[in-house]
Amino acid sequence: MSGGGKHTRLLHAGAPLLRDGAGPVNVPVVRTSTVRFASQRELDERHHRRAAGERVATYGRHGLDTHQALEDALCTLEGGHRAFLAPSGLSAITLVLLGLLGPGEHALVSDSVYAPLRRVDKTLLQRLGITVRYFSPARDDLAALIRPDTKLVYLESPSSLLFEVLDLPRLTAIARARGVPVAVDNTWSGGWFLQPLRLGANISIQAATKYIAGHSDVMQGAVVVDSPALAKRIATAHEALGLAIGADDAYLALRGLRTLPVRLAQHQRNATEIAQWLQRHPQVSRVFYPALPEDPGHALWQRDFSGASGLVSFALRGADATTAAAFVDALHLFAIGASWGGYESLALIAAPERLREHSAWQGSAPVVRLHVGLEDTQDLLADLDQAFHRSIS
Ligand SMILES: *Cc1c(COP(=O)(O)O)cnc(C)c1O
């Protein structure tokens, strides 16, 4: 099904054909290591098509029906040509970096990027002779930073601690004019509120761990590319790294995708209410949520995104690290923990050493990041209120 509105298309993408006149709604879990062939000729033919760049499974690592249905649905979601599945969001990031960069080559990365990318740089890319330069997407002139050996521009919008919104059409146009591919980490939007490929990016990366799976029970990454040429380069690295995910996890992500729009709409309603309450709170000096008119990224967000997800950060006025920890410890409904995108609320302290790497924020107050879940907002507000009273007086 290719026509219809965007909800209809997402719900029906990758749906299985009926066999003998009947069948399930969603594709079933098809587990395998060995792929069987009717004849040597069939096997040879499929090897050949695979080598030519077609998506054809000749072995379990390549994934059969469940994986392919998820890949199809991800292409529909992101408006892409081909999708690749990885065992985590971080491995999807590494796949793109290793797929597009080689010794002596250079990448430009926005400085508010998901922090573990810097660890991949320090522990792996540097050893391979790949250089990464971190730039301020708001202040630096990207055009002046692109060198002849620049082979990738890597962006994340909004960033995942302070939600700095990047001017994606402007940045992708600069890179494209120089022939440099652009990858965007699109985890914040779940692919539903933003399609980076429509704004000029060539690759969209997601931690499907977060909103796509949506229930805090799956680790998974996805890479969606816009062209056969990039698909070929990513496919080569994907094969060489031996990246594979289980059919059960592919199924869970596919199931999660079907309810992504309704979950995100509710995350946005709840998060907006909490963000507005925090804005009025005397112990809060600043709230980071691009859907708020006061947020510096609001105009870009309104232009490029169709909604906002459940992440809200705020700076605690006059608090130190001990008070911030006491605040987070005093919360009952918000669990303390990393990750986000499940149905439940979470809180963590955004580490100051991480925030210092982000040129968009020069403050010194501790920052708390909330993932606002699907609970009743009056319960979440009561929890925040009692935590303020117990920790900061
Ligand atoms: C969580 C996250 C990742 C990494 O995903 P994992 O599945 O946890 O490895 C990458 N980018 C962003 C923005 C994330 O929030």
Side-chain angles (χ1 to χ4, degrees):
M1 158 138 200
S2 54
K6 64 185 241 186
H7 292 82
T8 310
R9 278 184 281 122
L10 181 65
L11 263 58
H12 292 273
L17 298 172
L18 300 181
R19 283 184 192 159
D20 296 328
V25 171
N26 213 355
V27 130
V29 176
V30 177
R31 300 157 166 265
T32 199
S33 56
T34 298
V35 175
R36 294 193 297 152
F37 299 93
S39 65
Q40 182 64 38
R41 197 179 55 76
E42 286 281 354
L43 188 159
D44 291 343
E45 190 241 349
R46 280 182 172 73
H47 265 307
H48 198 73
R49 282 166 52 202
R50 185 169 170 81
E54 260 189 75
R55 183 186 65 173
V56 177
T58 57
Y59 185 53
R61 261 201 322 262
H62 309 145
L64 286 175
D65 310 40
T66 321
H67 299 76
Q68 293 184 0
L70 174 59
E71 289 162 8
D72 290 347
L74 288 166
C75 282
T76 300
L77 179 72
E78 294 271 2
H81 165 73
R82 182 139 168 218
F84 297 88
L85 306 174
S88 68
L90 185 58
S91 63
I93 292 171
T94 307
L95 167 64
V96 169
L97 296 171
L98 292 180
L100 299 190
L101 297 165
E105 294 181 338
H106 176 248
L108 288 162
V109 176
S110 53
D111 65 10
S112 50
V113 74
Y114 176 68
L117 183 146
R118 292 175 187 259
R119 206 161 56 225
V120 176
D121 172 18
K122 281 200 192 84
T123 58
L124 190 61
L125 301 186
Q126 287 181 14
R127 281 203 291 138
L128 297 173
I130 296 164
T131 14
V132 176
R133 159 91 191 257
Y134 300 90
F135 74 102
S136 161
R139 287 185 217 153
D140 293 341
D141 175 13
L142 177 63
L145 298 175
I146 294 177
R147 318 189 313 208
D149 58 353
T150 305
K151 300 298 175 194
L152 176 67
V153 171
Y154 186 104
L155 311 169
E156 180 183 334
S157 180
S159 60
S160 47
L161 291 177
L162 302 175
F163 320 119
E164 179 186 18
V165 185
L166 276 53
D167 190 343
L168 288 177
R170 186 178 68 80
L171 296 168
T172 59
I174 292 169
R176 272 181 175 251
R178 306 285 287 272
V180 181
V182 181
V184 176
D185 186 328
N186 192 27
T187 303
W188 182 90
S189 90
W192 183 248
F193 290 144
L194 179 80
Q195 287 80 45
L197 304 190
R198 300 212 165 92
L199 300 181
N202 307 96
I203 301 176
S204 180
I205 301 171
Q206 279 205 56
T209 308
K210 311 282 169 60
Y211 282 119
I212 289 181
H215 295 74
S216 301
D217 52 6
V218 179
M219 298 298 302
Q220 195 174 114
V223 173
V224 179
V225 302
D226 72 340
S227 70
L230 276 177
K232 205 157 180 196
R233 296 176 68 190
I234 297 295
T236 304
H238 191 264
E239 177 80 31
L241 292 167
L243 299 183
I245 68 166
D248 300 87
D249 285 347
Y251 180 81
L252 287 172
L254 188 59
R255 183 159 91 164
L257 266 182
R258 308 304 189 195
T259 57
L260 178 69
V262 286
R263 283 185 288 108
L264 277 174
Q266 190 64 38
H267 281 294
Q268 170 164 2
R269 276 193 287 277
N270 289 4
T272 302
E273 197 179 326
I274 303 258
Q276 287 169 339
W277 183 85
L278 287 167
Q279 271 187 313
R280 295 190 298 269
H281 201 284
Q283 252 97 44
V284 172
S285 57
R286 184 162 160 195
V287 180
F288 304 86
Y289 191 60
L292 295 174
E294 295 76 16
D295 190 281
H298 183 70
L300 288 176
W301 169 80
Q302 204 165 35
R303 186 191 68 189
D304 295 341
F305 289 76
S306 60
S309 56
L311 290 164
V312 177
S313 288
F314 60 96
L316 282 166
R317 187 189 300 282
D320 57 12
T322 312
T323 317
F327 172 81
V328 168
D329 286 347
L331 292 165
H332 299 305
L333 275 176
F334 289 83
I336 300 172
S339 199
W340 40 272
Y343 50 84
E344 81 292 5
S345 289
L346 296 171
L348 60 73
I349 296 171
E353 65 273 17
R354 291 269 148 78
L355 297 177
R356 274 195 292 276
E357 294 169 339
H358 300 191
S359 52
W361 168 245
Q362 304 296 327
S364 55
V367 170
V368 176
R369 186 185 75 184
L370 303 177
H371 176 249
V372 179
L374 304 177
E375 298 91 344
D376 295 296
T377 43
Q378 68 263 32
D379 295 332
L380 296 176
L381 291 174
D383 193 29
L384 291 167
D385 190 47
Q386 65 80 26
F388 274 118
H389 282 295
R390 279 176 52 196
S391 60
I392 306 169
S393 40

